[in-house]
Amino acid sequence: MIYKTCKDCGEDKPVAEFWKNKASKDGFAYYCKACFGRRNGRSYRKKQAALGKEARAYRRHSDVPERMKYCPHCKEIKSVDDFGSNRANKSGLAHHCRPCHSEVMREGKRRKHGSERNYLLKLRYGVTEAQVEEMIAEQGGVCVICLRAEPKHVDHDHLTGLVRRVLCFKCNGGLGQFHDDPELMRLAANYLELRGAHARRMRIEIGAPVFGGPGRVRWDPFWRTRGDAAQSARHYHLRQKYGINDDDAKWLSELQVGYCAVCCDLPAEHVDHDHESGAVRGLACSGCNTGMGQLRDDPVALRRAADYVTGRLVRRVADADGGTRLSLTVPDVDPATVPKGGWKAFWEEDGQYRKETLPFDEELDMPTWGDLDEDGVPAPG
């Protein structure tokens, strides 16, 4: 083994303890790696002091035991298991331990973006927190669909990525359950009003659009005890909650051919019932059942949600000052002038308008046949 004397510490060490240096005669540095590091450390700290900065005390990387790593934030040597992975680093580990990594990321977001919420809004939707607050104020501080809850969730078009408006938690979730499909929401509104194909089929079969419910015990006294020996747990659950039994559920599933009573696309998994009367309307898939629940089983909210995703709900109209403002209902009213809880007066009228008017029913600004010349071109003026 070849040895070399370090000019700083004066010790004879193996040449493996010296960095290579082509400029020297023997091809190795004059100082051992430990002394070389201390020299560089002193030079670096001297330059930092001249700039008015304070650097941490010098520490050699080789002083860290195997399977351990130094965290520069908490200044502790910890097991590598306490560090997350980062393929961009040579070691494959993150610079900071897990608790410090989260704190450093939060501090960076606050420093660069003002807040973590502002960072996430810009990252996900391309808008700032100030722009969201401006949209909320323009909406009158309410969700544009239900007009009752506080808007907290930025909603965007999943196809284009463009931000639409700010909604409450339930309305935002309801849109997702219906996959932003306006026709499916209108089908659900008709289903809740017992006007759809499923309700018509029920009337043909049993003479009523719903059945079961708590009142069934009064008109069918033998129903609760008929054949209840050795019944399944589902039988008793259905009997107690919906006023139907396992045989009723099977009959209903056969009537619907196993598919959802609303969308008719997915398997029927859940018993859907009227929360006021307790009567069973039909069997629905998970998405339709949850979506109707999040939109409060309200046909008006469902039709407003359908018009919202098609761009018919939120309109921009001229205001008295020569600018523009939002219009959320028919009849039109300035959202900024409606007090909290004051939308109820417009709710029913707006719901009736959307029930009677579909997108293709609206009067279009098109020339009539009387306005066309003999070549089929609109006449001037």
Side-chain angles (χ1 to χ4, degrees):
M1 183 180 292
I2 303 175
Y3 287 82
K4 180 178 174 67
T5 304
C6 173
K7 290 191 174 183
D8 257 12
C9 63
E11 297 180 13
D12 292 333
K13 298 183 177 181
V15 291
E17 294 292 325
F18 294 78
W19 299 108
K20 291 183 178 181
N21 186 353
K22 294 181 180 180
S24 65
K25 293 181 180 180
D26 57 5
F28 293 96
Y30 297 109
Y31 314 104
C32 66
K33 292 178 180 179
C35 294
F36 196 89
R38 283 192 287 269
R39 278 178 165 265
N40 281 349
R42 286 195 297 269
S43 175
Y44 169 75
R45 280 154 185 76
K46 186 176 179 180
K47 291 177 182 178
Q48 292 296 100
L51 296 173
K53 299 179 181 180
E54 183 179 355
R56 64 169 176 81
Y58 171 73
R59 175 190 54 79
R60 285 193 67 197
H61 289 287
S62 57
D63 291 340
V64 179
E66 190 176 354
R67 297 286 302 167
M68 303 290 283
K69 182 174 172 58
Y70 175 78
C71 175
H73 191 261
C74 62
K75 298 180 173 56
E76 295 182 14
I77 297 175
K78 298 182 177 181
S79 169
V80 292
D81 296 332
D82 294 330
F83 292 78
S85 59
N86 187 344
R87 291 185 295 177
N89 293 336
K90 186 177 180 180
S91 64
L93 299 172
H95 291 294
H96 305 93
C97 63
R98 286 189 172 90
C100 292
H101 179 81
S102 301
E103 187 176 343
V104 169
M105 291 296 104
R106 283 195 296 270
E107 290 175 357
K109 291 170 186 175
R110 284 194 293 267
R111 184 175 63 255
K112 295 178 182 178
H113 305 282
S115 69
E116 192 165 1
R117 172 174 166 77
N118 198 40
Y119 164 76
L120 291 174
L121 287 171
K122 290 195 287 186
L123 176 67
R124 295 176 181 174
Y125 309 115
V127 296
T128 64
E129 196 169 9
Q131 289 174 319
V132 172
E133 294 301 324
E134 184 179 345
M135 282 193 288
I136 292 174
E138 194 177 31
Q139 295 172 197
V142 294
C143 169
V144 296
I145 294 179
C146 67
L147 299 177
R148 64 188 77 174
E150 186 179 356
K152 293 183 177 180
H153 297 265
V154 176
D155 173 61
H156 71 293
D157 188 323
H158 291 267
L159 186 62
T160 64
L162 297 176
V163 171
R164 291 186 289 215
R165 277 288 144 188
V166 190
L167 307 178
C168 66
F169 172 78
K170 288 188 174 182
C171 290
N172 191 46
L175 295 182
Q177 294 294 337
F178 283 113
H179 309 290
D180 281 5
D181 187 341
E183 294 307 317
L184 188 53
M185 296 177 205
R186 293 189 180 105
L187 284 174
N190 289 340
Y191 168 82
L192 289 172
E193 292 175 336
L194 307 178
R195 300 171 59 240
H198 174 73
R200 290 194 295 271
R201 189 162 55 238
M202 290 281 285
R203 285 190 178 95
I204 293 172
E205 293 291 334
I206 62 174
V210 295
F211 76 117
R216 186 174 188 180
V217 179
R218 292 192 292 272
W219 60 264
D220 189 358
F222 299 103
W223 167 76
R224 291 179 69 88
T225 57
R226 185 186 304 129
D228 63 352
Q231 293 290 341
S232 66
R234 173 178 168 80
H235 170 87
Y236 294 103
H237 170 73
L238 292 172
R239 191 177 71 176
Q240 180 180 5
K241 188 169 184 179
Y242 305 113
I244 64 175
N245 55 33
D246 214 358
D247 291 336
D248 294 327
K250 290 176 183 177
W251 172 83
L252 193 53
S253 179
E254 291 173 1
L255 179 70
Q256 298 177 198
V257 202
Y259 288 100
C260 173
V262 180
C263 66
C264 302
D265 285 333
L266 299 175
E269 301 173 337
H270 301 275
V271 176
D272 173 60
H273 71 293
D274 188 320
H275 290 269
E276 293 184 2
S277 67
V280 173
R281 288 184 288 241
L283 302 179
C285 66
S286 179
C288 290
N289 190 51
T290 306
M292 290 188 295
Q294 288 190 312
L295 289 166
R296 302 168 179 85
D297 278 3
D298 187 344
V300 176
L302 281 158
R303 292 192 178 97
R304 285 181 60 83
D307 285 351
Y308 169 77
V309 298
T310 56
R312 295 178 68 239
L313 180 68
V314 181
R315 297 176 296 119
R316 189 164 287 280
V317 297
D319 62 11
D321 299 329
T324 60
R325 62 168 176 82
L326 292 188
S327 174
L328 307 178
T329 57
V330 176
D332 172 51
V333 62
D334 185 354
T337 63
V338 180
K340 188 174 182 179
W343 287 101
K344 189 175 181 180
F346 305 93
W347 185 257
E348 293 299 330
E349 192 170 350
D350 182 80
Q352 188 64 27
Y353 163 78
R354 300 188 189 282
K355 181 177 179 179
E356 297 173 352
T357 310
L358 292 174
F360 45 81
D361 294 330
E362 291 183 316
E363 184 178 348
L364 302 178
D365 187 15
M366 296 284 288
T368 62
W369 285 107
D371 298 326
L372 304 179
D373 61 18
E374 58 183 4
D375 296 322
V377 178

